[in-house]
Amino acid sequence: MGPDTDPSRFGVHRASPRGFAQAYVREGVGGVPLVCVHGWPETKRIFWKVIEPLAAAGFEVIVPDLRGFGDSELGPDGFHDVASHALDLYALVHDVLGHERVVLVGGDLGGPVIQDLALRYPDWVDRMVLFNSPLPYLKDEMAGIDGTRAPREAADYFVRQGLDADALAAELATPEQRRRYIATFYTSRFWAHPGAFAAPGEVDFHTEPFADAAHLRASFGGYESVFHESARSGPSLIGLNSHTPTLVLHGPSDHVIYPAFDRMAAVVFPRHIGPYLLRDCGHFVPWEAPHALVSGTVAMCSDLFRHQA
């Protein structure tokens, strides 16, 4: 086991501002607050390669497990949607940790969560780093951009997790079956660049938190909320954002997100930096292209380090 796949590499803290124990890593206390938000099927472990270099650069790196993921408990109200996740993170980072301004990093499910936070609390979010994430579809502004729809061949999981979650969860009856299901998203489903998770132990490291039946079932909640209003705790805020400076990174080997993610994001975030395409990188940018994520984030925030000093 190397450091990148060591579950105990970083200390795990817990706080309960919203009625459940939310787990998080916190390194570099006193630096520029940087909140890294994982997606699906991920946990805080997807950021394991970038936590130390970001902390060394001067950030206070805060990496939570969203409710129902990893070491965090399930949402006590049964909701596991974008609005719940956004309110959880604000309560944790603002109310508990006391940060009045933050930089947010996220992709996949974490992408809509940080987009929501930037619109919900515009004075709290200083800037964002966004990669391989769902985006609002702005029909008029995106007219003429090819590749604004996710590949249809990748949609089977989305439909089942959104419309048939209980039956799917019942089919995945053992820890081994649940982990094998999650493993396909790191390997055969071509979300990642080929070979990105080929090193010994990497797939096991990322699938282990999904062996628990309750957590796997809860993790489907984000997909259910797309199809069912009853699965939404409230409206999520996702749309055109003209005020938040946003670094856009795109792993183009991704076969699940929109092929035109970079061009679409440039429309959604007029104050964008980039977009930058990352060679030989797919969906899991913090793991597949850690140097690009770290160096880009540091460069974008160089003025914040000067102000802090």
Side-chain angles (χ1 to χ4, degrees):
M1 180 187 298
D4 291 341
T5 55
D6 180 2
S8 62
R9 181 176 183 179
F10 304 105
V12 177
H13 310 275
R14 288 173 176 81
S16 304
R18 296 250 296 157
F20 72 99
Q22 183 153 32
Y24 62 98
V25 166
R26 188 186 190 193
E27 297 288 318
V29 175
V32 174
L34 180 76
V35 185
C36 301
V37 188
H38 69 78
W40 191 96
E42 304 163 6
T43 65
K44 61 184 179 302
R45 295 182 182 187
I46 202 67
F47 291 102
W48 245 228
K49 290 183 178 181
V50 301
I51 293 173
E52 284 186 352
L54 286 169
F59 289 107
E60 177 175 321
V61 188
I62 302 160
V63 190
D65 275 327
L66 298 175
R67 58 165 63 194
F69 287 84
D71 294 318
S72 288
E73 294 179 347
L74 276 60
D77 53 11
F79 292 108
H80 297 89
D81 61 322
V82 168
S84 291
H85 295 313
L87 293 172
D88 292 343
L89 295 188
Y90 184 78
L92 172 67
V93 179
H94 179 270
D95 299 346
V96 175
L97 302 183
H99 291 306
E100 297 296 332
R101 296 282 284 177
V102 296
V103 179
L104 301 178
V105 177
D108 194 87
L109 171 60
V113 173
I114 69 171
Q115 292 175 64
D116 178 292
L117 285 167
L119 292 177
R120 194 180 295 268
Y121 304 109
D123 294 331
W124 186 60
V125 179
D126 193 284
R127 59 200 72 179
M128 297 192 300
V129 180
L130 184 72
F131 52 87
N132 293 55
S133 163
L135 294 167
Y137 181 64
L138 307 180
K139 182 177 179 180
D140 293 338
E141 294 87 344
M142 293 179 183
I145 298 178
D146 293 330
T148 59
R149 292 287 182 256
R152 288 175 179 253
E153 64 270 19
D156 62 308
Y157 84 98
F158 193 103
V159 173
R160 281 220 71 192
Q161 291 172 192
L163 293 175
D164 199 24
D166 286 331
L168 176 59
E171 290 173 14
L172 303 172
T174 68
E176 293 75 19
Q177 289 173 331
R178 292 187 281 273
R179 293 182 68 170
R180 281 198 299 270
Y181 177 72
I182 295 299
T184 65
F185 296 91
Y186 290 93
T187 55
S188 59
R189 284 182 176 265
F190 299 107
W191 287 28
H193 188 78
F197 292 87
E202 288 188 319
V203 172
D204 287 343
F205 177 66
H206 291 290
T207 61
E208 186 274 332
F210 293 91
D212 178 75
H215 277 73
L216 179 65
R217 177 63 184 85
S219 79
F220 296 159
Y223 296 92
E224 292 178 289
S225 70
V226 174
F227 295 98
H228 304 292
E229 186 175 358
S230 61
R232 300 171 204 150
S233 62
S236 61
L237 302 184
I238 183 169
L240 180 68
N241 181 332
S242 299
H243 64 267
T244 307
T246 302
L247 171 61
V248 177
L249 304 175
H250 182 199
S253 297
D254 189 347
H255 285 236
V256 69
I257 207 70
Y258 331 99
F261 168 78
D262 55 325
R263 297 175 65 194
M264 296 168 69
V267 171
V268 177
F269 304 99
R271 296 188 65 188
H272 62 270
I273 301 167
Y276 296 114
L277 301 183
L278 307 178
R279 182 183 294 274
D280 299 335
C281 178
H283 192 74
F284 305 98
V285 169
W287 194 268
E288 298 182 66
H291 176 74
L293 179 62
V294 171
S295 60
T297 304
V298 171
M300 183 181 69
C301 297
S302 60
D303 61 310
L304 300 180
F305 299 129
R306 290 196 297 270
H307 293 161
Q308 185 185 47

